mmCIF file of all heavy atoms in Angstrom:
data_model
loop_
_atom_site.group_PDB
_atom_site.id
_atom_site.type_symbol
_atom_site.label_atom_id
_atom_site.label_comp_id
_atom_site.label_asym_id
_atom_site.label_seq_id
_atom_site.Cartn_x
_atom_site.Cartn_y
_atom_site.Cartn_z
ATOM 1 N N ARG J 113 100.115 93.403 95.787
ATOM 2 C CA ARG J 113 100.894 92.287 95.237
ATOM 3 C C ARG J 113 99.953 91.100 95.099
ATOM 4 O O ARG J 113 99.271 90.743 96.067
ATOM 5 C CB ARG J 113 102.051 91.900 96.165
ATOM 6 C CG ARG J 113 103.086 92.979 96.293
ATOM 7 C CD ARG J 113 104.249 92.532 97.156
ATOM 8 N NE ARG J 113 105.037 93.689 97.553
ATOM 9 C CZ ARG J 113 106.065 93.658 98.389
ATOM 10 N NH1 ARG J 113 106.430 92.506 98.918
ATOM 11 N NH2 ARG J 113 106.718 94.757 98.686
ATOM 12 N N GLU J 115 99.836 87.982 95.585
ATOM 13 C CA GLU J 115 100.424 86.804 96.232
ATOM 14 C C GLU J 115 99.301 85.869 96.642
ATOM 15 O O GLU J 115 98.134 86.240 96.644
ATOM 16 C CB GLU J 115 101.177 87.224 97.487
ATOM 17 C CG GLU J 115 102.414 88.052 97.202
ATOM 18 C CD GLU J 115 103.248 88.226 98.456
ATOM 19 O OE1 GLU J 115 103.966 87.287 98.814
ATOM 20 O OE2 GLU J 115 103.181 89.303 99.071
ATOM 21 N N GLY J 120 97.967 87.298 107.395
ATOM 22 C CA GLY J 120 99.013 88.318 107.324
ATOM 23 C C GLY J 120 99.577 88.522 105.928
ATOM 24 O O GLY J 120 100.540 89.253 105.759
ATOM 25 N N ARG J 121 98.998 87.859 104.920
ATOM 26 C CA ARG J 121 99.465 88.093 103.546
ATOM 27 C C ARG J 121 98.261 88.444 102.672
ATOM 28 O O ARG J 121 97.351 87.648 102.511
ATOM 29 C CB ARG J 121 100.184 86.870 102.997
ATOM 30 C CG ARG J 121 100.980 87.249 101.758
ATOM 31 C CD ARG J 121 101.547 86.085 100.963
ATOM 32 N NE ARG J 121 102.275 85.087 101.721
ATOM 33 C CZ ARG J 121 101.971 83.781 101.675
ATOM 34 N NH1 ARG J 121 100.977 83.350 100.931
ATOM 35 N NH2 ARG J 121 102.677 82.927 102.374
ATOM 36 N N TYR J 122 98.268 89.674 102.203
ATOM 37 C CA TYR J 122 97.127 90.185 101.453
ATOM 38 C C TYR J 122 97.562 90.644 100.076
ATOM 39 O O TYR J 122 98.741 90.815 99.808
ATOM 40 C CB TYR J 122 96.516 91.381 102.201
ATOM 41 C CG TYR J 122 96.108 91.078 103.598
ATOM 42 C CD1 TYR J 122 96.921 91.437 104.670
ATOM 43 C CD2 TYR J 122 94.915 90.413 103.858
ATOM 44 C CE1 TYR J 122 96.553 91.145 105.973
ATOM 45 C CE2 TYR J 122 94.538 90.125 105.157
ATOM 46 C CZ TYR J 122 95.359 90.487 106.215
ATOM 47 O OH TYR J 122 94.991 90.198 107.484
ATOM 48 N N PHE J 125 97.798 95.557 100.903
ATOM 49 C CA PHE J 125 98.220 95.683 102.292
ATOM 50 C C PHE J 125 98.843 97.060 102.446
ATOM 51 O O PHE J 125 99.133 97.741 101.464
ATOM 52 C CB PHE J 125 99.215 94.571 102.666
ATOM 53 C CG PHE J 125 100.457 94.567 101.811
ATOM 54 C CD1 PHE J 125 101.638 95.158 102.251
ATOM 55 C CD2 PHE J 125 100.438 93.990 100.545
ATOM 56 C CE1 PHE J 125 102.770 95.166 101.444
ATOM 57 C CE2 PHE J 125 101.571 93.998 99.739
ATOM 58 C CZ PHE J 125 102.737 94.586 100.189
ATOM 59 N N GLN J 127 101.815 99.587 103.820
ATOM 60 C CA GLN J 127 103.197 99.700 104.288
ATOM 61 C C GLN J 127 103.435 101.119 104.754
ATOM 62 O O GLN J 127 102.853 102.067 104.231
ATOM 63 C CB GLN J 127 104.185 99.416 103.146
ATOM 64 C CG GLN J 127 104.483 97.956 102.919
ATOM 65 C CD GLN J 127 105.617 97.734 101.927
ATOM 66 O OE1 GLN J 127 106.053 98.658 101.233
ATOM 67 N NE2 GLN J 127 106.109 96.528 101.857
ATOM 68 N N ARG J 258 117.616 90.318 99.929
ATOM 69 C CA ARG J 258 116.235 90.803 99.976
ATOM 70 C C ARG J 258 115.633 90.752 98.579
ATOM 71 O O ARG J 258 116.352 90.761 97.592
ATOM 72 C CB ARG J 258 116.160 92.198 100.584
ATOM 73 C CG ARG J 258 116.618 92.176 102.049
ATOM 74 C CD ARG J 258 116.277 93.416 102.830
ATOM 75 N NE ARG J 258 115.010 93.979 102.506
ATOM 76 C CZ ARG J 258 113.826 93.491 102.888
ATOM 77 N NH1 ARG J 258 113.770 92.441 103.654
ATOM 78 N NH2 ARG J 258 112.711 94.080 102.516
ATOM 79 N N THR J 282 109.530 88.544 109.522
ATOM 80 C CA THR J 282 110.175 89.831 109.256
ATOM 81 C C THR J 282 109.181 90.955 109.520
ATOM 82 O O THR J 282 108.115 90.999 108.916
ATOM 83 C CB THR J 282 110.637 89.899 107.785
ATOM 84 O OG1 THR J 282 111.466 88.785 107.542
ATOM 85 C CG2 THR J 282 111.385 91.183 107.498
ATOM 86 N N ILE J 283 109.548 91.844 110.427
ATOM 87 C CA ILE J 283 108.662 92.971 110.725
ATOM 88 C C ILE J 283 109.044 94.167 109.857
ATOM 89 O O ILE J 283 108.196 94.861 109.331
ATOM 90 C CB ILE J 283 108.774 93.414 112.202
ATOM 91 C CG1 ILE J 283 108.686 92.233 113.150
ATOM 92 C CG2 ILE J 283 107.719 94.427 112.523
ATOM 93 C CD1 ILE J 283 108.863 92.636 114.598
ATOM 94 N N GLY J 309 105.235 96.252 107.024
ATOM 95 C CA GLY J 309 103.836 95.994 106.697
ATOM 96 C C GLY J 309 102.986 96.242 107.933
ATOM 97 O O GLY J 309 103.244 95.687 109.001
ATOM 98 N N ARG J 312 100.880 93.122 109.372
ATOM 99 C CA ARG J 312 101.701 92.126 110.100
ATOM 100 C C ARG J 312 102.128 92.649 111.458
ATOM 101 O O ARG J 312 102.170 91.921 112.436
ATOM 102 C CB ARG J 312 102.936 91.773 109.278
ATOM 103 C CG ARG J 312 102.514 91.001 108.073
ATOM 104 C CD ARG J 312 103.542 90.039 107.593
ATOM 105 N NE ARG J 312 103.113 89.625 106.264
ATOM 106 C CZ ARG J 312 103.919 89.231 105.323
ATOM 107 N NH1 ARG J 312 105.216 89.160 105.569
ATOM 108 N NH2 ARG J 312 103.460 88.883 104.151
HETATM 109 P P1 AMP I 501 109.167 94.021 101.230
HETATM 110 O O1 AMP I 501 108.721 95.291 100.530
HETATM 111 O O2 AMP I 501 108.891 92.794 100.401
HETATM 112 O O3 AMP I 501 110.532 94.100 101.780
HETATM 113 O O4 AMP I 501 108.173 93.859 102.471
HETATM 114 C C1 AMP I 501 108.241 94.683 103.588
HETATM 115 C C2 AMP I 501 107.178 94.267 104.573
HETATM 116 O O5 AMP I 501 105.894 94.436 103.972
HETATM 117 C C3 AMP I 501 107.184 92.810 104.965
HETATM 118 O O6 AMP I 501 108.061 92.570 106.027
HETATM 119 C C4 AMP I 501 105.756 92.589 105.399
HETATM 120 O O7 AMP I 501 105.564 93.043 106.714
HETATM 121 C C5 AMP I 501 104.989 93.485 104.460
HETATM 122 N N1 AMP I 501 104.410 92.722 103.351
HETATM 123 C C6 AMP I 501 104.988 92.342 102.204
HETATM 124 N N2 AMP I 501 104.127 91.665 101.426
HETATM 125 C C7 AMP I 501 102.948 91.614 102.092
HETATM 126 C C8 AMP I 501 101.651 91.061 101.816
HETATM 127 N N3 AMP I 501 101.378 90.445 100.676
HETATM 128 N N4 AMP I 501 100.689 91.197 102.745
HETATM 129 C C9 AMP I 501 100.926 91.841 103.905
HETATM 130 N N5 AMP I 501 102.123 92.383 104.228
HETATM 131 C C10 AMP I 501 103.132 92.273 103.332
#
Side-chain angles (χ1 to χ4, degrees):
R113 295 183 195 175
E115 293 190 79
R121 196 191 310 126
Y122 304 100
F125 59 98
Q127 276 189 348
R258 296 194 37 75
T282 305
I283 312 177
R312 291 210 193 152

